[in-house]
Amino acid sequence: MDTKHVLKALAALAQDSRLAIFRLLIQTGPAGLYASKIGEALHISSSALSFHLKELSHAKLVVARQEGRFVVYTARFDTMSELMGFLTENCCAGETCDLPAQGCAPAATARPAAGDTGPHDIC
């Protein structure tokens, strides 16, 4: 992934609604969601949703497919992986580090117990 594409993807994600849309599509997986369902879930008007989906599509973060009269949007997991790879390419300056390999695993949803200040894995 070249720097120009990385900047375009990061710029697309640097907006509340677009980040929420992308995260929702990541959660739904390869099946994706109808555009109308995205708007309903995130309380975004259809005109604003169309604009945000266009921006995510131009950044190659989502892909649309026609299903009859409806359009289904899916996150582009290949682009997400390339972006994460670019951002972590030189992690620890090439040295072995003690950071856990996160992969594409969901973050822990449990809240720490009262008084618990230990480290917590996040994705």
Side-chain angles (χ1 to χ4, degrees):
M1 181 174 252
D2 65 9
T3 302
K4 185 177 178 181
H5 187 195
V6 168
L7 292 173
K8 192 169 199 167
L10 291 174
L13 292 172
Q15 197 281 337
D16 293 352
S17 295
R18 289 193 291 270
L19 182 59
I21 292 165
F22 186 71
R23 292 189 67 188
L24 178 63
L25 291 175
I26 290 294
Q27 292 171 11
T28 62
L33 277 177
Y34 293 116
S36 61
K37 295 295 182 186
I38 297 169
E40 287 173 16
L42 300 175
H43 308 290
I44 300 173
S45 71
S46 58
S47 60
L49 180 64
S50 178
F51 170 77
H52 293 309
L53 288 168
K54 178 183 63 93
E55 291 296 310
L56 290 168
S57 182
H58 285 311
K60 299 181 181 168
L61 290 166
V62 301
V63 64
R65 71 177 183 277
Q66 197 74 36
E67 283 190 4
R69 297 181 321 141
F70 303 99
V71 179
V72 176
Y73 286 87
T74 306
R76 293 214 29 203
F77 293 93
D78 57 336
T79 303
M80 180 188 71
S81 293
E82 288 177 23
L83 180 59
M84 295 305 296
F86 181 90
L87 294 172
T88 60
E89 181 175 38
N90 296 313
C91 178
C92 302
E95 299 294 322
T96 303
C97 56
D98 295 330
L99 297 175
Q102 295 286 336
C104 188
T109 56
R111 297 275 184 234
D116 182 2
T117 58
H120 301 282
D121 290 337
I122 58 172
C123 185

